[in-house]
Amino acid sequence: MTTPVVDFLNRYSESDYIRLHMPGHKGRSTDDFFRYDITEIDGADNLFDPKGIILESMKNASELFSSHTYYSCEGSSLCIRAMIYLAMLEYKRIHNEESYILAFRNVHKSFVSAIALLGIDVEWITSDVPNYLSCPISPDELEKYLKIKEKKPAAVYVTSPDYLGNILDIKGLADVCHREGTMLLVDNAHGAYLKFLKNSLHPIDLGADICCDSAHKTLDALTGTAYLHVSDNCSEFIFNSVFRALALFASTSPSYMLIRSLDALNAHLSNNYPLELQLLEDKINKIKEELSLHGYRLLGNEPLKITIDAGDYGYSGTEFYSLLMKNKIICEYYDKQYIVIMISVSNTYKETEHLLKILLSIKKEPSLVNNPPAFSLPVASIKPFDAIRSMTEEVKVSKKIIGSVAGDIIFNCPPAVPIVICGEIIDYNIYSALKYYGYKTCNIIKNPDKLD
Ligand SMILES: Cc1ncc(COP(=O)(O)O)c(C=O)c1O
């Protein structure tokens, strides 16, 4: 596979042109990689109106992902805003009126900022699992929910894989959405690699209409790189609007270092990556088997994540994290109950062996239960669009905040999943969840009754 951006930047950085353009470092710094950091000079193309090397590179990525693939230098966060916007525009084009988004509640913060910025109505759908991080709703449950809706949502929005490593039945959910006349949008930030499994589990292959993947979360790409994938099912109108949607929210100075990273990644993905992934998947399956036999309770069905119920094994997540850290292992996430470990093909065999050895050396203790307070969906008092334009005040988290209206975009449990979002009323359960997650202070809306 060609790497046109890498080649252009190599040629330019090795040339003797005098750089009388942005950025100010002129490619010179103590760090050698600054030489690849350029602006949109002739030949370097334009991320949101590509006609040259970036277009060629995106076409390569599209071929790899069997979709229409667009680059983001601002993570999945940018792609999420763009896909919500596209779904709303599409509904308006077809029905000549606006609609709402039906979202599984365990969204990432960037979804909430998208609906707040765009003034979009959202209807939440929740499950009865005892944590805020997962929302395992089946296609049948979704179908029952959608069937009775007189007005269909512009899109159903789901997060899969979630932070704990649960993958939803995307094929089933997509079929239901299409039967019920709506689109399926998937936050696949944690699942770029799913495309390269022996049997792809990538949302686009399973019928999703639009999805985003953070390249940097699971592939060897720089932080900030992501893909927006649009499936063949989408209309000409959506294809013609994608760059407009991305440019609406994006910086006008995309990083060539990040574009270069995505370009270089294409070469790896088209060569050794699938085989490396298969070997790694086998290795992780063996690790999971050994851990289960040893008495660990593991969660989730995502191939490259190992989620351990540390409480069940007799430790708080925090204690368990420290034990791993003492043994030179830093894992992705911990809360009071769970530990999430993310492994990629860039980890060495020695590292995964070390992980297994350390996990097996930790003694099982009587179970602790640190489960967060029961999930509850707060009642909305004002729309997020109004809430972000309201004055807020910082207050201590005490029982006195019960009945107040949340002012921060979200109050989240650690990986940016909402307990409560701006404009919703803090009830007793929410107060308890804030205490559980260690909130000392929070912002509430000042004088919410006085809003227009
Ligand atoms: C589920 C999920 N969606 C979206 C995002 C945002 O991705 P990015 O950091 O690439 O903008 C994250 C980031 O942690 C995430 O966990």
Side-chain angles (χ1 to χ4, degrees):
M1 183 155 275
T2 58
T3 51
V5 180
V6 172
D7 299 346
F8 177 86
L9 289 170
N10 284 345
R11 278 198 308 278
Y12 189 59
S13 67
E14 281 156 19
S15 74
D16 56 1
Y17 283 113
I18 300 169
R19 297 191 186 191
L20 301 184
H21 58 72
M22 292 186 273
H25 57 67
K26 309 298 176 187
R28 297 192 182 102
S29 158
T30 44
D31 287 319
D32 188 45
F33 63 79
F34 271 56
R35 66 200 174 107
Y36 300 121
D37 185 34
I38 61 166
T39 186
E40 285 119 334
I41 55 171
D42 261 10
D45 211 359
N46 182 317
L47 185 60
F48 300 121
D49 185 19
K51 296 190 168 66
I53 55 171
I54 296 179
L55 182 66
E56 183 183 336
S57 184
M58 281 190 199
K59 279 189 178 155
N60 287 341
S62 301
E63 197 183 306
L64 284 165
F65 283 92
S66 327
S67 93
H68 301 260
T69 297
Y70 304 83
Y71 290 166
S72 160
C73 294
E74 291 162 73
S76 284
S77 301
L78 169 62
C79 303
I80 288 169
R81 291 178 192 124
M83 67 182 169
I84 303 293
Y85 176 68
L86 285 168
M88 293 308 290
L89 278 186
E90 176 71 341
Y91 188 94
K92 199 164 183 179
R93 177 184 75 85
I94 298 170
H95 301 276
N96 211 16
E97 60 170 352
E98 300 209 346
S99 187
Y100 59 99
I101 303 275
L102 182 69
F104 289 23
R105 175 71 178 192
N106 62 334
V107 292
H108 183 259
K109 184 180 187 172
S110 45
F111 173 83
V112 183
S113 69
I115 56 153
L117 289 169
L118 289 163
I120 289 173
D121 289 334
V122 62
E123 197 172 308
W124 300 107
I125 177 162
T126 60
S127 73
D128 50 13
V129 296
N131 69 60
Y132 285 85
L133 301 179
S134 301
C135 195
I137 290 164
S138 69
D140 284 350
E141 286 167 295
L142 179 67
E143 186 149 35
K144 276 190 206 128
Y145 201 90
L146 280 173
K147 272 230 171 315
I148 52 169
K149 290 271 161 218
E150 215 167 278
K151 183 168 182 170
K152 301 296 173 188
V156 172
Y157 181 93
V158 305
T159 304
S160 173
D162 67 28
Y163 219 88
L164 296 181
N166 300 293
I167 301 181
L168 295 172
D169 176 358
I170 296 295
K171 182 168 182 335
L173 295 171
D175 289 346
V176 169
C177 286
H178 297 152
R179 274 201 300 277
E180 292 301 318
T182 186
M183 298 171 77
L184 180 67
L185 310 181
V186 182
D187 172 350
N188 182 52
H190 288 249
Y193 74 94
L194 296 173
K195 171 70 194 172
F196 303 95
L197 296 171
K198 218 165 163 197
N199 297 314
S200 167
L201 288 178
H202 194 268
I204 294 292
D205 287 328
L206 300 178
D209 296 284
I210 311 184
C211 84
C212 65
D213 313 345
S214 298
H216 68 91
K217 289 196 197 304
T218 58
L219 303 175
D220 52 332
L222 287 173
T223 299
T225 52
Y227 306 107
L228 180 70
H229 303 288
V230 180
S231 91
D232 275 339
N233 303 336
C234 287
S235 68
E236 227 19 64
F237 171 79
I238 291 192
F239 290 121
N240 291 336
S241 308
V242 176
F243 287 121
R244 174 181 163 205
L246 287 164
L248 179 63
F249 302 101
S251 163
T252 53
S253 304
S255 162
Y256 271 82
M257 315 277 278
L258 301 193
I259 302 170
R260 180 181 191 275
S261 173
L262 285 166
D263 189 48
L265 179 59
N266 288 338
H268 184 194
L269 295 178
S270 65
N271 275 313
N272 302 335
Y273 185 77
L275 182 60
E276 291 167 1
L277 181 64
Q278 201 180 322
L279 295 175
L280 181 66
E281 197 191 353
D282 293 345
K283 171 84 191 155
I284 294 178
N285 281 341
K286 284 200 187 107
I287 293 179
K288 286 182 177 172
E289 250 173 61
E290 286 211 41
L291 293 179
S292 299
L293 285 174
H294 197 74
Y296 279 101
R297 180 174 172 265
L298 305 180
L299 279 78
N301 54 351
E302 197 202 309
L304 297 194
K305 265 201 192 114
I306 302 179
T307 304
I308 295 176
D309 186 338
D312 180 78
Y313 202 70
Y315 299 81
S316 75
T318 323
E319 272 174 324
F320 206 90
Y321 180 85
S322 304
L323 278 175
L324 293 181
M325 199 162 89
K326 273 193 200 126
N327 287 287
K328 299 272 175 222
I329 294 165
I330 306 289
C331 59
E332 164 63 23
Y333 166 79
Y334 65 95
D335 63 18
K336 289 190 181 174
Q337 184 79 14
Y338 304 116
I339 286 280
V340 177
I341 292 164
M342 287 175 77
I343 303 174
S344 86
V345 301
S346 298
N347 285 112
T348 62
Y349 185 79
K350 214 171 139 194
E351 286 169 349
T352 49
E353 281 295 295
H354 178 67
L355 170 73
L356 179 60
K357 190 178 112 201
I358 297 304
L359 288 173
L360 294 182
S361 72
I362 298 173
K363 197 168 156 264
K364 188 169 175 16
E365 301 287 351
S367 297
L368 306 173
V369 178
N370 291 311
N371 272 327
F375 173 85
S376 91
L377 182 64
V379 174
S381 160
I382 54 173
K383 290 185 177 191
F385 178 69
D386 294 318
I388 58 171
R389 292 179 299 135
S390 305
M391 298 310 292
T392 59
E393 61 183 320
E394 191 178 5
V395 293
K396 277 205 176 120
V397 172
S398 71
K399 281 196 179 147
K400 283 192 192 148
I401 65 167
I402 294 172
S404 306
V405 179
D408 285 322
I409 187 86
I410 65 168
F411 299 161
N412 56 273
C413 33
V417 175
I419 300 166
V420 60
I421 72 167
C422 54
E424 289 176 343
I425 298 171
I426 300 171
D427 59 21
Y428 181 77
N429 286 336
I430 298 302
Y431 157 75
S432 311
L434 293 177
K435 288 292 264 189
Y436 174 89
Y437 281 110
Y439 272 84
K440 298 275 180 286
T441 61
C442 66
N443 283 307
I444 56 169
I445 291 182
K446 263 188 182 173
N447 306 327
D449 293 335
K450 296 200 183 122
L451 292 166
D452 299 335

